[in-house]
Amino acid sequence: MSESIETILTLKDMETHFPIKKGVFKRTTGYVKAVDGVSLEVYRGETLALVGESGCGKTTLGKSILQLVKPTSGKIIYNDKTTERDLCRLSQKEMMEVNQKLQIVFQDPQSSLNPAFTIFGSLQDSLKAHGIKSKSERRKIIGDLLEAVNMRREQMDLYPHEFSGGQRQRIGIARALSIEPDLIVCDEAVSALDVSIQAQVLKLLKDIKEERNLTYIFITHDLSVVEYISDRVAVMYLGKIVELAEVEDLYASTMHPYTKALLSAIPVADLDRRKKRILLEGDVPSPVNPPSGCPFHPRCSQCQDICKTVVPELKRFETNGNEHYSACHFAEEQLSQ
Amino acid sequence: MKDDVIISVKDLKTFFYTNNRCNKAVNGVSFDIKKGKTLCVVGESGCGKSVTASSIMQLLPKLSRIENGKITYHSNEGDIRIDQLKKNGAEMRAIRGSDISMIFQDPMTALNPVYSIGFQISENIQYHTRLKKSERKDQSIKLLKEMGIPLPEQRINEYPHQYSGGMRQRAMIAMAMACNPKVLIADEPTTALDVTIQAQIFELMDELKEKHDTAIMLITHDMGVVTELADDVVVMYMGNIVENGTVDDVLRKPSHPYTKALLESIPVLGRGKNQVIEPIKGSTPDPYNRPKGCQFAPRCPYADSSCLVMPDESSINNTHSVRCWHPMEAV
């Protein structure tokens, strides 16, 4: 990471709750607390990975940042080098301006491209919306973009079904790049791809980032991929961040029992390191009524009385001189085990 | 035939016919499933691994048929040629679900939403044994308990939608294990599940293998899963087995360029941020427009003119064989 650390995005106590409506009158009977008080800083030029199991709120968090889902409360402050703006309080017009700088790559490239449009048709919309009037110019830009993602210029006149999954995902990346963003949210961008293709896309993402000085928020459930691509990792559980650290520190000195279990559950493709798994019992609890105290306590092997009643805060520690946050009452004890 | 083999597949060819075109989904595949061992079949999507499994279970869709080859099930009562049995004949039905059973990738679509879990488990028991209704119920409860489902006495009357993803997959395994099968075929059983739940399911499958001496054929695309679970590995590419051997053979000394490239293309946990991953160039060919000769040749860095002819299987040692003109020396 660069020497002068500059924050590009600051989340403050962000919450996104979805109401559950029941009955004839659609009365609200409760809330799904998909994102429940997340505070986070994203630095310019880094790759921040958000990991967690399905249903932990990582995708909702990503979408909330881009205002694709309106957050219930909290602040999202975006710093575009000159001004700082709270994304939650922008008018539609202002948001449109900011949207140029914030883009997203979706998980399933099949469903995120319109099958009735050619690639040029799909990709030119964002250029049009951001004021590039002449068609020849748009064609030129899109051609360059396709080349940047290792595809051929001529392919812009083909339809999505004529491409393979890996190519479609690269088109998705090209679309996100089209208006020169600062920050790209990659929502499970490589999860739907075959292993051999996954490597191509990962490498492409890494190269593009260096070329264009981008910032990524990389949402995934695959911790092997995270280790390869990211600088810092935030582990989420039931809408909350439970651990946040530099990637090396997270793997070497884990400070939360959930991260430990998650790491040990991953099958590693290395015969010399067949290891004992830490088995978690049961499933992720429902975010409609999360457990009291620490949300992880019903599955935690080291659960104590305090965990059942007191919600642990995300506390700051230091590992090798880097920030290391952990939301566990016994974070430091994790290190000695 | 060796004693420890339970199912042997010889030169299996399964083709699909659509729009007057023929997709040679499985094109000459031979392997053995050994008693009490786990055989992992790895490959990318479309390489024919699921079709191989469906061929063994005789669960192929209508547009496809087994063109050639032998699938022999070495049962206690002598050898049975599965490929010669009628798809829905009495013999095949007697084998399917009792001697050989299968777990599917997505438990939600594999379970029937309008019947309770208990009914679906005991249905299998009812079909294959002569137990009474109350005994069947006890047996089902026992099975669910073995799979680690809490409160099985209540859970048995619940429906699939009331189960979570991991529990549904456990219920599927309970169904598959209901008649103590000799062979369990698992088609990507954990792809739809989270890693922590995946670890639970794997632990369970290991346990079952040890307790009941069941042979497992596990289909996967994840090299990590192979490392953790497999005794033997079969690597498939475009309908052929390119490499076949024990886990140690294949993962430590990959001899086929595809296996090697596959292993180099995945990020491995614990190797840090600066690990080099080498993507395989290009993408898998169109199954209707296959390359001539070795299927991997267009993507292979070692390809030359000899690769325009399909290589035969050559063995490296007793357990390890490879289908390549230039099998690489042990790395």
Side-chain angles (χ1 to χ4, degrees):
Chain A
M1 217 187 295
S2 65
E3 305 80 50
S4 57
I5 297 171
E6 186 191 348
T7 319
I8 180 163
L9 206 63
T10 314
L11 311 186
K12 276 190 193 142
D13 288 322
M14 214 188 73
E15 291 184 349
T16 306
H17 296 178
F18 297 106
I20 306 166
K21 297 203 163 132
K22 272 209 180 125
V24 194
F25 301 110
K26 298 272 179 261
R27 228 157 20 97
T28 306
T29 53
Y31 289 94
V32 177
K33 294 174 180 164
V35 179
D36 196 14
V38 167
S39 299
L40 191 68
E41 284 185 333
V42 186
Y43 305 127
R44 192 175 287 277
E46 76 166 348
T47 303
L48 175 77
L50 284 178
V51 288
E53 293 176 271
S54 43
C56 74
K58 50 193 195 302
T59 299
T60 309
L61 180 60
K63 287 189 174 166
S64 301
I65 291 173
L66 297 185
Q67 306 292 311
L68 296 173
V69 174
K70 277 277 172 213
T72 320
S73 67
K75 279 183 183 164
I76 306 170
I77 294 161
Y78 169 64
N79 170 13
D80 63 353
K81 283 185 177 163
T82 49
T83 50
E84 288 194 354
R85 281 185 280 195
D86 185 354
L87 300 185
C88 301
R89 275 162 199 74
L90 293 183
S91 68
Q92 213 166 6
K93 208 175 163 196
E94 285 172 305
M95 193 58 217
M96 177 103 174
E97 217 172 277
V98 175
N99 255 346
Q100 270 190 49
K101 296 288 167 198
L102 309 174
Q103 286 293 315
I104 185 164
V105 177
F106 292 101
Q107 168 169 14
D108 183 2
Q110 171 85 58
S111 57
S112 62
L113 289 167
N114 190 336
F117 285 2
T118 61
I119 300 310
F120 174 71
S122 289
L123 263 60
Q124 71 165 350
D125 276 355
S126 54
L127 294 176
K128 255 189 197 165
H130 290 103
I132 295 165
K133 294 277 188 299
S134 92
K135 191 177 174 189
S136 58
E137 198 175 336
R138 287 200 299 268
R139 283 192 76 88
K140 187 180 164 295
I141 293 173
I142 290 169
D144 291 344
L145 281 169
L146 287 182
E147 273 173 5
V149 294
N150 304 334
M151 290 174 65
R152 280 180 288 115
R153 272 198 124 75
E154 310 84 80
Q155 286 175 321
M156 76 170 91
D157 293 320
L158 300 179
Y159 287 88
H161 73 265
E162 294 174 85
F163 294 97
S164 67
Q167 284 173 319
R168 269 186 230 131
Q169 194 57 285
R170 274 183 271 172
I171 294 166
I173 295 169
R175 175 168 60 184
L177 289 175
S178 62
I179 39 180
E180 296 180 1
D182 273 349
L183 182 130
I184 298 183
V185 177
C186 301
D187 186 1
E188 304 265 14
V190 295
S191 309
L193 305 175
D194 260 324
V195 270
S196 71
I197 311 297
Q198 185 175 340
Q200 293 174 357
V201 175
L202 276 178
K203 222 172 164 191
L204 176 74
L205 283 170
K206 224 177 175 177
D207 292 345
I208 289 181
K209 187 191 154 208
E210 264 152 48
E211 249 169 60
R212 297 174 181 238
N213 196 19
L214 293 170
T215 308
Y216 286 150
I217 294 180
F218 201 87
I219 300 170
T220 182
H221 62 267
D222 188 339
L223 278 156
S224 319
V225 170
V226 166
E227 195 189 26
Y228 174 70
I229 200 156
S230 59
D231 300 304
R232 289 194 309 150
V233 189
V235 182
M236 284 188 74
Y237 189 76
L238 275 186
K240 287 191 169 70
I241 290 180
V242 294
E243 188 164 5
L244 172 69
E246 297 277 317
V247 72
E248 292 90 359
D249 300 338
L250 186 88
Y251 288 74
S253 38
T254 315
M255 288 178 92
H256 197 283
Y258 175 64
T259 319
K260 261 189 190 170
L262 204 60
L263 283 171
S264 82
I266 299 162
V268 177
D270 192 340
L271 272 184
D272 300 319
R273 294 197 291 122
R274 269 185 167 176
K275 54 185 172 142
K276 193 77 205 112
R277 295 183 276 261
I278 303 174
L279 280 189
L280 285 183
E281 288 187 7
D283 298 297
V284 185
S286 150
V288 179
N289 54 38
S292 63
C294 171
F296 184 58
H297 87 257
R299 301 173 81 193
C300 184
S301 58
Q302 303 160 34
C303 175
Q304 313 260 343
D305 286 340
I306 181 175
C307 305
K308 292 177 185 158
T309 48
V310 183
V311 183
E313 275 174 39
L314 196 63
K315 277 181 294 222
R316 186 172 192 273
F317 298 92
E318 254 183 34
T319 311
N320 306 330
N322 300 321
E323 299 175 302
H324 193 143
Y325 295 90
S326 167
C328 177
H329 290 299
F330 306 98
E332 270 156 331
E333 273 111 278
Q334 302 301 326
L335 290 172
S336 52
Q337 282 165 16
Chain B
M1 187 50 68
K2 282 177 276 175
D3 296 339
D4 60 340
V5 175
I6 185 117
I7 286 184
S8 55
V9 177
K10 271 261 148 350
D11 202 30
L12 175 73
K13 287 185 178 165
T14 306
F15 295 170
F16 282 70
Y17 298 92
T18 44
N19 297 343
N20 293 326
R21 293 196 295 180
C22 169
N23 178 5
K24 296 175 181 174
V26 174
N27 197 4
V29 157
S30 312
F31 61 90
D32 293 330
I33 303 176
K34 297 190 188 115
K35 274 181 197 157
K37 297 270 186 204
T38 305
L39 172 81
C40 274
V41 182
V42 262
E44 295 175 80
S45 40
C47 73
K49 46 194 199 303
S50 293
V51 177
T52 311
S54 312
S55 303
I56 296 175
M57 288 294 278
Q58 288 270 34
L59 286 175
L60 290 166
K62 277 203 178 113
L63 292 167
S64 57
R65 71 171 173 253
I66 298 177
E67 289 288 318
N68 188 15
K70 288 184 202 166
I71 303 172
T72 320
Y73 167 51
H74 305 283
S75 70
N76 295 339
E77 292 86 41
D79 292 358
I80 300 172
R81 279 285 297 277
I82 288 182
D83 54 302
Q84 290 176 342
L85 297 179
K86 264 209 181 124
K87 264 188 184 177
N88 284 322
E91 285 166 282
M92 191 63 228
R93 282 181 312 191
I95 292 175
R96 197 187 288 142
S98 78
D99 286 19
I100 311 175
S101 57
M102 188 158 175
I103 315 170
F104 298 91
Q105 173 170 354
D106 184 359
M108 194 63 224
T109 48
L111 291 168
N112 192 332
V114 300
Y115 291 110
S116 69
I117 297 283
F119 177 85
Q120 296 187 50
I121 296 174
S122 58
E123 194 181 21
N124 197 13
I125 305 173
Q126 182 184 11
Y127 192 85
H128 292 290
T129 64
R130 292 176 183 284
L131 294 179
K132 286 203 246 45
K133 194 173 177 190
S134 60
E135 290 170 321
R136 291 202 299 269
K137 191 177 171 199
D138 292 344
Q139 178 75 11
S140 311
I141 292 174
K142 207 182 113 223
L143 278 161
L144 283 183
K145 201 177 212 154
E146 218 173 296
M147 300 304 143
I149 288 183
L151 299 174
E153 294 82 4
Q154 289 172 28
R155 285 290 187 173
I156 200 152
N157 297 319
E158 289 185 358
Y159 291 82
H161 73 269
Q162 291 165 298
Y163 278 47
S164 69
M167 272 161 57
R168 273 181 221 140
Q169 197 57 281
R170 281 158 202 266
M172 277 289 295
I173 300 177
M175 275 167 74
M177 295 303 290
C179 299
N180 283 328
K182 303 278 186 319
V183 186
L184 179 68
I185 300 177
D187 188 355
E188 308 234 17
T190 56
T191 311
L193 305 176
D194 277 317
V195 274
T196 55
I197 311 294
Q198 169 173 294
Q200 294 170 359
I201 300 282
F202 285 162
E203 202 72 17
L204 187 68
M205 283 171 67
D206 262 352
E207 222 177 274
L208 292 174
K209 187 172 81 170
E210 257 153 51
K211 235 197 223 157
H212 301 288
D213 205 30
T214 313
I216 298 177
M217 174 178 169
L218 181 73
I219 295 170
T220 179
H221 61 264
D222 188 340
M223 277 292 179
V225 173
V226 176
T227 324
E228 294 238 332
L229 289 182
D231 296 302
D232 298 300
V233 184
V234 161
V235 184
M236 285 188 77
Y237 185 76
M238 295 303 286
N240 295 109
I241 290 182
V242 294
E243 191 162 358
N244 186 352
T246 63
V247 158
D248 277 290
D249 289 336
V250 176
L251 294 190
R252 281 193 210 280
K253 300 172 208 148
S255 301
H256 197 282
Y258 177 62
T259 319
K260 192 163 174 275
L262 207 56
L263 285 170
E264 279 170 3
S265 73
I266 45 170
V268 175
L269 193 71
R271 290 204 185 143
K273 203 162 62 178
N274 296 323
Q275 60 182 304
V276 184
I277 60 170
E278 206 49 66
I280 307 177
K281 61 176 185 189
S283 53
T284 39
D286 177 9
Y288 293 109
N289 185 15
R290 284 165 188 267
K292 238 176 111 183
C294 175
Q295 303 287 302
F296 187 59
R299 303 175 77 187
C300 178
Y302 303 89
D304 57 26
S305 55
S306 60
C307 297
L308 290 175
V309 184
M310 189 65 177
D312 280 332
E313 206 169 290
S314 53
S315 44
I316 295 169
N317 58 37
N318 294 339
T319 51
H320 193 181
S321 62
V322 64
R323 198 183 265 266
C324 180
W325 291 114
H326 319 283
M328 277 183 292
E329 293 306 309
V331 188

